[in-house]
Amino acid sequence: MFALVDCNNFYVSCERAFQPRLEGQPVVVLSNNDGCIVSRSAEAKALGIKMGEPLFQVRSLVEQHGVQALSSNYALYGDMSGRVMGYLASVAPELEIYSIDEAFLSLHGMERWHGRLDDYARRIRREVKRRTHIPTCIGLAPTKTLAKLANRVAKKDPALGGVLLLDSPERRQWALEQVPVEDVWGVGRQYATKLYSLGISTAAGLARCSEAMARRHLGGVVGARLVRELQGYPCHHLAPSEDGSLARQSIACTRTFGRPLSQFEDVLAAVAAFASRAAEKLRRQESAASVLTVFLSQNRFGTTPPPHTRSAQVTLPVATSDTTELVRFARSLLGRIWQPGSVYVKAGVILDGFESGEQKQLSLFAPDGSERTARLMQKLDALNARFGGNSVQVAAAIGAVGRQPGVWKGQQRRRSPAFTTNWNELWEIKA
DNA sequence: TCTGGGGTCCTAGGACCC
DNA sequence: TCTGGGGTCCTAGGACCC
């Protein structure tokens, strides 16, 4: 039996955990540059504010109803996520951290120790709330896809008290009939449109599909597995994370600038900073990358024909996690795609092609100096961990001498304090 | 005026080989 | 003009996820 634990309105709930005045209020959390809505409280949803909607399009609604709009504070959310996941890791033998606010648990055979699994889930839910102030819903079912579906039903139906267990054919059928097909895990816009045109509008309808039909219309083997999972035959297993961290196969750092940029030095400073961040993440998971991509985008709104994203990629002679080296390659790739006179709104750096364990052995014989570099990078990470953010950077990330630094950075006018992660912004308890 | 930032997996098709 | 039948590896792009 799988359990999916999903935090409700996670970013908003994190903010509320430290700002009780937000309780009961319509609240939204905004994306980078305060651009789009990425998390909504129930009250904000009730006002008709949609997920992913640009703030400026709902400005009047926000003002009219006094919606609290907060800039995102990822240091806070990451820290809160760690607390929730840390507790969940203690309630089941295996945990797969699926995203910042969701985890799959394997509860196989746990009835023996904990009695009815839905009762056990209710206790977990209560305890997460008590420890972190984060509300959750829990779906329990024989497959991951059904656990997602159970979770979704539990979330929509208050009578269920946040927990739904699908342990009989009747319960399962009942739940499948509740859920529109577009809300099934793995069915996006394209597939939903296709399914509706085939007369399939609910999860129950999709579960009745033949394998041939699923293969034909839903991306081959992906669709076949999806239908099997809805029928109760597990095709996806748990990918447990040993220490709570996830080893990624690619690492990206991309941002929309605070304002459009046309000076090479300004964009270079951004790209160098992105490469540095990506290298940091890379070292944290003890990987080394052999493929580096840099891209630049122009404004994609209100222009015809749609403007391009230019990108360039290089395969490195030797996989590395050395910031200075990655920044050097990133700079040269940027030079390749840079077009003087163009105006750019966004850039990004992507690391790929991580080396495997055996390949890493070879680096023992890497050119002289690699060990020195490794020690330097350790010190760099330690300093930045201790003094915060970007205390120590490579020069290119700061920008040319005499230029204003970080002009690519956006504004976060509505950010809450970093209650848990910054000494200067600790939560104050007034006596 | 203002429009996010990460990730995953799979497939098709081309290059290349025998 | 006719011009096999495999196999592998790689990449670009599409679809999905939160």
Side-chain angles (χ1 to χ4, degrees):
Chain A
M1 194 64 78
F2 292 102
L4 176 68
V5 182
D6 187 353
C7 301
N8 305 347
N9 319 327
F10 183 58
Y11 299 163
V12 165
S13 297
C14 289
E15 299 290 348
R16 280 180 170 169
F18 291 91
Q19 302 187 76
R21 67 173 181 89
L22 298 175
E23 216 64 57
Q25 302 287 314
V27 182
V28 297
V29 171
L30 306 171
S31 65
N32 183 42
N33 281 330
D34 298 340
C36 291
I37 283 141
V38 295
S39 181
R40 306 159 295 156
S41 72
E43 299 80 4
K45 288 177 193 173
L47 291 174
I49 297 174
K50 302 273 183 305
M51 181 65 178
E53 223 172 356
L55 177 62
F56 76 90
Q57 283 176 7
V58 289
R59 180 86 52 173
S60 66
L61 210 54
V62 165
E63 281 164 12
Q64 190 187 331
H65 293 91
V67 177
Q68 306 287 309
L70 307 171
S71 300
S72 45
N73 183 346
Y74 285 99
L76 176 65
Y77 311 149
D79 184 76
M80 292 297 280
S81 174
R83 290 163 197 241
V84 173
M85 300 303 169
Y87 169 68
L88 292 180
S90 75
V91 304
E94 286 188 324
L95 166 82
E96 175 189 333
I97 297 174
Y98 179 68
S99 72
I100 194 166
D101 65 348
E102 273 175 74
F104 286 102
L105 308 177
S106 169
L107 297 185
H108 193 73
M110 302 272 291
E111 294 93 334
R112 256 182 84 191
W113 314 104
H114 299 287
R116 288 185 54 101
L117 289 182
D118 47 352
D119 289 336
Y120 186 44
R122 275 185 267 275
R123 293 204 294 277
I124 293 171
R125 188 168 176 268
R126 259 200 313 275
E127 196 59 16
V128 172
K129 176 83 188 206
R130 188 184 72 78
R131 291 167 180 243
T132 64
H133 285 90
I134 302 291
T136 54
C137 285
I138 304 183
L140 304 117
T143 70
K144 285 174 129 183
T145 306
L146 284 171
K148 286 284 279 188
L149 184 126
N151 185 288
R152 193 246 178 221
V153 174
K155 205 166 281 172
K156 294 261 169 177
D157 185 348
L160 294 170
V163 172
L164 178 59
L165 167 67
L166 302 182
D167 59 350
S168 72
E170 295 75 26
R171 293 295 278 172
R172 191 189 308 167
Q173 188 57 31
W174 171 80
L176 285 168
E177 279 159 12
Q178 311 295 304
V179 176
V181 76
E182 66 269 26
D183 289 347
V184 171
W185 192 38
V187 177
R189 259 218 335 262
Q190 310 289 323
Y191 292 169
T193 306
K194 203 173 291 180
L195 288 167
Y196 271 89
S197 77
L198 294 166
I200 297 167
S201 58
T202 67
L206 185 52
R208 281 192 295 268
C209 257
S210 70
E211 174 171 342
M213 183 146 164
R215 278 184 187 272
R216 188 155 59 245
H217 299 288
L218 305 177
V221 65
V222 178
R225 288 203 282 246
L226 206 171
V227 170
R228 291 296 281 170
E229 284 248 321
L230 284 179
Q231 294 168 346
Y233 303 101
C235 302
H236 300 298
H237 299 281
L238 220 57
S241 38
E242 283 151 36
D243 60 345
S245 67
L246 298 172
R248 312 325 302 221
Q249 299 172 33
S250 73
I251 288 173
C253 184
T254 71
R255 286 283 178 288
T256 301
F257 306 137
R259 58 176 172 81
L261 297 178
S262 55
Q263 297 299 303
F264 182 82
E265 290 74 17
D266 293 335
V267 175
L268 172 61
V271 166
F274 301 163
S276 307
R277 280 262 19 231
E280 240 177 82
K281 294 189 205 171
L282 187 63
R283 291 194 293 274
R284 206 172 306 147
Q285 69 168 50
E286 297 178 339
S287 283
S290 64
V291 176
L292 173 66
T293 307
V294 172
F295 72 82
L296 279 179
S297 306
Q298 298 178 306
N299 188 5
R300 60 200 171 100
F301 297 101
T303 54
T304 45
H308 45 253
T309 289
R310 284 170 66 87
S311 74
Q313 191 174 75
V314 63
T315 301
L316 310 181
V318 179
T320 185
S321 63
D322 174 4
T323 295
T324 57
E325 201 174 339
L326 290 168
V327 167
R328 238 179 335 138
F329 279 108
R331 183 208 292 257
S332 98
L333 288 177
L334 177 62
R336 251 203 259 165
I337 54 178
W338 181 261
Q339 293 185 305
S342 293
V343 178
Y344 298 103
V345 300
K346 176 177 180 173
V349 170
I350 303 163
L351 302 177
D352 263 307
F354 298 161
E355 71 177 2
S356 69
E358 310 93 71
Q359 287 167 315
K360 215 164 186 175
Q361 302 292 319
L362 291 174
S363 65
L364 289 173
F365 308 103
D368 294 340
S370 63
E371 203 179 310
R372 256 188 61 219
T373 310
R375 281 203 301 272
L376 176 63
M377 289 301 113
Q378 272 174 21
K379 288 200 171 126
L380 179 71
D381 291 339
L383 285 169
N384 283 333
R386 174 151 182 209
F387 297 107
N390 305 314
S391 302
V392 185
Q393 299 174 65
V394 302
I398 300 170
V401 175
R403 295 188 70 83
Q404 199 190 349
V407 297
W408 56 272
K409 285 182 186 162
Q411 300 295 311
Q412 294 221 298
R413 292 174 214 282
R414 306 149 177 271
R415 219 205 65 179
S416 57
F419 297 107
T420 62
T421 53
N422 187 328
W423 287 114
N424 298 319
E425 300 180 5
L426 283 182
W427 202 22
E428 285 178 48
I429 298 174
K430 303 231 167 69

